[in-house]
């Protein structure tokens, strides 16, 4: 990768993941899911803007999801949606958060167990079929996959 070092140097550039941009088939439905079900905050509502609608959702301090609407996009319920395996959201308490999601009508497609045999990651689908995960911080550098 010598050619790459010539271009970017040896300085570490990437600090963290900033946000995930997701194309949705119905902006209203997606915003309802990401705010009402997942509890993200609507930071910028792009539904009233002309052209490409972009909305940003996030936590108290930061936008972490950018939604773009494409009404011609077909809903896909497949193992991999357009090259993305899943998007994982870290939560303080995975088990407590899973109970909240269950109460909000979310059905889990996979529950992963930690070394202690207890659930520590829950997988489910958003309204467009994108696989999402909630997981607690394991303290490990590489997440359970």
């Amino acid at each position: 990768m010598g050619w790459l070092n010539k271009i970017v140097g040896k300085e570490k550039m990437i600090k963290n993941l900033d946000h995930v941009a997701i194309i949705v088939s119905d902006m209203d439905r997606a915003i309802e899911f990401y705010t009402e079900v997942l509890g993200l905050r609507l930071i910028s509502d792009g539904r009233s803007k002309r052209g490409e609608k972009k909305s940003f959702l996030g936590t108290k301090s930061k936008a972490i999801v950018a939604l773009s609407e494409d009404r011609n996009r077909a809903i896909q319920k497949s193992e991999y949606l357009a090259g993305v395996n899943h998007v994982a959201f870290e939560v303080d308490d995975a088990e407590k958060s899973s109970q909240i999601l269950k109460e909000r009508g979310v059905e889990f497609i996979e529950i992963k167990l930690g070394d202690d045999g207890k659930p520590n990651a829950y997988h489910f689908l958003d309204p467009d079929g994108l696989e999402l995960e909630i997981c607690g911080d394991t303290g490990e550098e590489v997440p359970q996959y």
Side-chain angles (χ1 to χ4, degrees):
M1 292 212 309
W3 64 270
L4 186 59
N5 284 337
K6 289 179 183 176
I7 296 171
V8 297
K10 294 183 183 191
E11 295 295 319
K12 302 288 186 245
M13 255 186 347
I14 306 298
K15 295 188 324 181
N16 205 343
L17 183 65
D18 186 71
H19 68 277
V20 175
I22 301 170
I23 299 170
V24 299
S25 61
D26 183 325
M27 184 67 78
D28 293 329
R29 183 181 66 187
I31 287 175
E32 180 179 15
F33 177 81
Y34 283 91
T35 58
E36 300 300 319
V37 176
L38 294 187
L40 293 177
R41 179 174 66 96
L42 181 60
I43 296 170
S44 175
D45 189 342
R47 289 178 285 190
S48 64
K49 297 182 175 132
R50 292 182 176 186
E52 188 176 344
K53 298 176 182 178
K54 286 190 179 180
S55 296
F56 293 87
L57 301 99
T59 62
K60 290 179 184 176
S61 60
K62 184 176 181 15
I64 59 172
V65 173
L67 300 177
S68 296
E69 183 179 73
D70 178 357
R71 288 201 171 268
N72 296 318
R73 180 180 183 278
I75 295 174
Q76 298 178 18
K77 305 269 187 209
S78 63
E79 186 176 348
Y80 299 109
L81 185 64
V84 175
N85 181 278
H86 69 276
V87 176
F89 297 100
E90 183 180 330
V91 295
D92 289 328
D93 184 332
E95 198 163 349
K96 182 178 176 183
S97 296
S98 75
Q99 292 302 315
I100 292 169
L101 291 178
K102 266 188 191 174
E103 291 168 7
R104 295 177 181 170
V106 170
E107 294 180 25
F108 298 110
I109 59 172
E110 182 180 7
I111 299 173
K112 292 184 179 173
L113 305 178
D115 292 336
D116 60 2
K118 295 181 182 177
N120 67 358
Y122 298 81
H123 291 247
F124 53 98
L125 301 176
D126 83 350
D128 281 292
L130 176 63
E131 186 173 335
L132 304 176
E133 172 188 354
I134 56 165
C135 57
D137 182 6
T138 62
E140 301 292 325
E141 184 175 16
V142 176
Q144 178 181 354
Y145 196 79

